[in-house]
Amino acid sequence: QVQLVESGGGLVFTGGSLRLSCAASGRTFSYYGMGWFRQAPGKEREFVAAIARSGGNTYYADSVKGRFTISRDNAKNTVYLQMNSLKPEDTAVYYCAAGELATMIERLYTYWGRGTQVTVSS
């Protein structure tokens, strides 16, 4: 079992930045690929970014490429999502997830956090 707790969400204006954190406890963090997903009101949950176990490979949705950066610190059992140049369309609940692979495929993640709200106001 892995428990995931997201933090760092909040309200920012267009063009602002936030850094989300996801702290993991339970089984060995470095064993898991980690992903960030988001769900906006009335929409399906969608992939944002993923990072491989070692942190060597990262993957991004086209909509956030160049603005968001995923990273991880295996010594701290934490994965981060640095979000810059935020837009109103980035408003969503952001979830972190852990699975055997770093992938954009939601169903391949085994463990999920409860999410943190990000609101970008114009």
Side-chain angles (χ1 to χ4, degrees):
Q1 286 283 350
V2 175
Q3 292 78 43
L4 302 173
V5 179
E6 303 95 336
S7 62
L11 171 65
V12 294
F13 290 104
T14 299
S17 298
L18 282 174
R19 188 175 83 153
L20 305 183
S21 299
C22 174
S25 60
R27 294 190 62 182
T28 305
F29 177 71
S30 61
Y31 176 79
Y32 294 98
M34 300 297 296
W36 285 97
F37 289 76
R38 67 187 181 186
Q39 187 168 23
K43 295 188 176 181
E44 297 289 319
R45 189 157 57 184
E46 65 175 3
F47 169 75
V48 175
I51 188 166
R53 300 173 185 182
S54 65
N57 292 318
T58 57
Y59 311 91
Y60 296 94
D62 288 343
S63 59
V64 307
K65 205 170 292 183
R67 300 188 298 122
F68 290 12
T69 302
I70 188 171
S71 62
R72 66 190 294 164
D73 185 337
N74 286 345
K76 295 183 177 180
N77 291 353
T78 302
V79 63
Y80 304 97
L81 185 68
Q82 177 67 44
M83 306 186 294
N84 298 328
S85 302
L86 283 161
K87 306 174 181 180
E89 51 264 44
D90 294 317
T91 295
V93 176
Y94 283 71
Y95 299 90
C96 73
E100 287 195 18
L101 298 174
T103 174
M104 63 175 64
I105 303 173
E106 182 177 338
R107 62 179 172 82
L108 295 183
Y109 287 90
T110 306
Y111 303 104
W112 291 82
R114 293 188 175 184
T116 185
Q117 176 71 47
V118 171
T119 303
V120 184
S121 174
S122 56

